Amino acid sequence: MCFRKVTHLRVKRFITIWGIVFAFSILAGNYALAEIGMKKVLVVNSYHVGYKWTDDITRGILEILGEYNDVLTYVEYLDTKRFSNEFDNDFFYNHFHNKFHGEKFDLIITSDNDALDFVLKNSQSELFNNIPHVSCGIGNPYDYEHIVGLWLVHEVLTYHESIELIMEFFPELQEFVYVTDALTTGQIYIDDLQEMFCTHYPDVELTIYDCINLDSLPDFFSGVAYPSVVYVAVVSSDCNGNPVNEFDVAEIISKSTSAPLFSGYFVESLENFIGGVTMDGVLNGQIAAQIAADLLYRPEIPLKKIYVPEATAVFDYNLLKKQEISLSKLPDDVVLLNKPESFWEKNKRILLISGAIILNLLLIILILYRSVLIHRNLENELRFAIDKSNESNRLKSVFLENVSHEMRTPLNSIIGFSDVLLETMPDDEHKNFVRIISDSALDLNSIISDMFDFSLLKSHKAEIDVSEFDFNDVLKQALGENVVKSQLESKNLQLIINIQPENDKILIKADRDKLFQVLKHIISNAAKYTLSGSVTISCAYATTSKPFFPELTQVHTEKKFLAIGIKDTGKGISKEFMPYLFDPFRQDNEENTNANRGLGLGLSISKSIVEIMGGKVEAESTPDKGTTMMFTIPVNMNELY
């Protein structure tokens, strides 16, 4: 028994473990399936998040690759700007190898020299072997152009163009102070600068300031003045290799020296920088990403090994004027900051709008002049159309009155003689035929009356005849109508009447005939669509015109309105039809014409009458449970008219 129990537990554990393993395998399989067909691109940045140049390059890469839905982009950072002395190739490669173990990249993008050298140094490794490689932000691309499978975007040495402009600005220049750091890129630029000045500007002393000490910066640069100029490159580390903020360094220098300051990188962010030629990091990243896209999707297109983006000259207009530098010495495509607008530039929008307004006014005057000429003809045509419309409405009303009269006369005869025959004929099959004739004639007479009333209501010609009467009498009259009475009796429906106050007269001043019409239509509808159950009629005084179904427990002492509710237990009204309930000629379940006899005018007429008398109508319904119609009328209509 114990052996079997232990075996059972082991079996359960075995099943549970394999169930978990199976579930994880399914999830892993789904994830793997999701990556099938995706192209994987690894982006390795030399520097760190928050460094503007790197952030701009990354943004440019993601903007282009983000247009391809089947590209997965992984972005990594070596952070060599801030920790250049601590960079360990083996450490970073092991980190990449562990992180991306088993991954197969379709392409690698690197930015700046440190990332490029890192990938090239490990190019024979499992992770980077035989993978197309695009690198941007490279200051010395021609040193790498012999490498197969490598495409480069040149980070143009913009200080060359900046120095050429500075020499043209200040022909008497004696010293050029270049501020940079001791990192890889900075040393490349220093070597290039020394060769440039020895070759082209041997009479100008080149001073390299590449050992940054924030505490000693003010002392050094406070002694630098014209005929010296200062050019500030991007600085990321101090003499000890500790990271520094490039903007902090540039701001300290700008506040310390009186010499002209140049830098295309800082001119838009800091004061006192005259300007310079700069390279757009976003553009570098976009070009690299476009090369990558061509390699991935259009391998048949021949590509250049080295791409050279255009640099942009950016200068501060006010500082150029302060240094008395002529604008004619600037490139044609220069971007001038803080340049005051000319009268045309400053008021261009106003002048264009004013000119457009004047032209429009002239056009309006011409149009008005022409309009005056034809206005009288239009007035005559409009007056004629109005008269014709009024005459048409009058003729329509006369026609309806005549048709109503002419049709009611024979119908009344049919109804009258049918009643005589019903009283005199013996109970046989022919008497049923006569009863059908009588009922049909009554129905037709009701339809004619509805059409005539609807026409009068819509043309606002319905007259209100206010008189004092007892509501109970009108209700009895409506319930005594043949159509209503026959529907209630033929279906054996229970009629429930709740009148408050009970056994008292409910005297109101309103149009008796129109209230009778409303009650007849609503009660008839309730009985027509109720196959079994009951019809409940409730009435009570109310203080507002908002409709509600009066309950026996509700007591309103202020007699301003009379609230009337008719509730049935019929088939109800669909939710979709409720917004159209009071529209003329509309019926729920319209495709089933046998179930909805009539024109669909009863509720529309009732609503119009109630509103003319100063009341409101609302309805509530639940399909297969019934409908409640509620309306109010003023107790004294004379107070409204």
Side-chain angles (χ1 to χ4, degrees), residues 460-474:
H460 305 289
K461 291 187 177 181
E463 297 180 356
I464 300 296
D465 183 15
V466 179
S467 63
E468 186 175 35
F469 58 90
D470 184 1
F471 172 78
N472 292 294
D473 295 339
V474 181

Side-chain angles (χ1 to χ4, degrees), residues 540-546 548 556 558-563 632 635:
Y541 288 114
T543 57
T544 67
S545 62
K546 180 173 177 57
F548 65 94
H556 296 267
E558 194 172 359
K559 303 176 181 179
K560 287 189 175 182
F561 290 88
L562 193 65
T632 56
V635 172

Side-chain angles (χ1 to χ4, degrees), residues 212-229:
I212 303 300
N213 187 317
L214 296 180
D215 295 330
S216 62
L217 276 177
D219 293 336
F220 177 84
F221 283 97
S222 61
V224 179
Y226 187 78
S228 297
V229 299

Side-chain angles (χ1 to χ4, degrees), residues 119-133:
V119 172
L120 291 179
K121 186 173 182 179
N122 299 283
S123 60
Q124 300 303 315
S125 66
E126 176 187 352
L127 193 59
F128 300 140
N129 185 32
N130 199 28
I131 299 176
H133 182 179

Side-chain angles (χ1 to χ4, degrees), residues 522 525 529 566 568 571-590 596 599-608 617-622 626-630:
I522 296 178
N525 265 8
Y529 296 108
I566 294 95
D568 64 60
K571 67 177 185 178
I573 302 167
S574 67
K575 182 179 179 181
E576 293 76 17
F577 183 73
M578 285 299 291
Y580 313 104
L581 181 61
F582 295 103
D583 290 354
F585 307 109
R586 295 296 300 269
Q587 293 180 337
D588 198 6
N589 195 18
E590 291 176 337
N596 301 298
L599 295 178
L601 290 175
L603 291 181
S604 178
I605 291 173
S606 299
K607 184 175 186 292
S608 298
V617 182
E618 289 184 4
E620 296 176 354
S621 184
T622 303
T627 302
T628 301
M629 300 295 301
M630 303 163 288

Side-chain angles (χ1 to χ4, degrees), residues 127-172:
L127 193 59
F128 300 140
N129 185 32
N130 199 28
I131 299 176
H133 182 179
V134 181
S135 190
C136 60
I138 305 304
N140 55 337
Y142 298 99
D143 294 343
Y144 300 91
E145 65 177 333
H146 63 281
I147 299 175
V148 178
L150 175 64
W151 290 262
L152 301 131
V153 181
H154 189 189
E155 181 187 350
V156 179
L157 303 181
T158 55
Y159 56 78
H160 278 208
E161 298 177 37
S162 297
I163 291 172
E164 291 174 2
L165 290 171
I166 292 169
M167 294 303 177
E168 190 172 353
F169 295 160
F170 304 105
E172 306 299 325

Side-chain angles (χ1 to χ4, degrees), residues 205-270:
E205 181 182 353
L206 174 63
T207 300
I208 302 296
Y209 193 94
D210 62 349
C211 184
I212 303 300
N213 187 317
L214 296 180
D215 295 330
S216 62
L217 276 177
D219 293 336
F220 177 84
F221 283 97
S222 61
V224 179
Y226 187 78
S228 297
V229 299
V230 179
Y231 187 96
V232 183
V234 178
V235 176
S236 299
S237 67
D238 61 13
C239 292
N240 300 317
N242 298 317
V244 294
N245 185 285
E246 66 269 23
F247 286 94
D248 292 342
V249 173
E251 187 171 13
I252 292 173
I253 295 173
S254 70
K255 292 179 178 179
S256 302
T257 184
S258 61
L261 271 172
F262 289 90
S263 174
Y265 187 82
F266 298 109
V267 63
E268 296 185 51
S269 306
L270 298 175

Side-chain angles (χ1 to χ4, degrees), residues 20-39:
I20 294 172
V21 171
F22 179 75
F24 274 108
S25 65
I26 292 296
L27 291 174
N30 289 338
Y31 181 77
L33 286 173
E35 290 193 347
I36 290 176
M38 301 293 286
K39 300 183 186 301

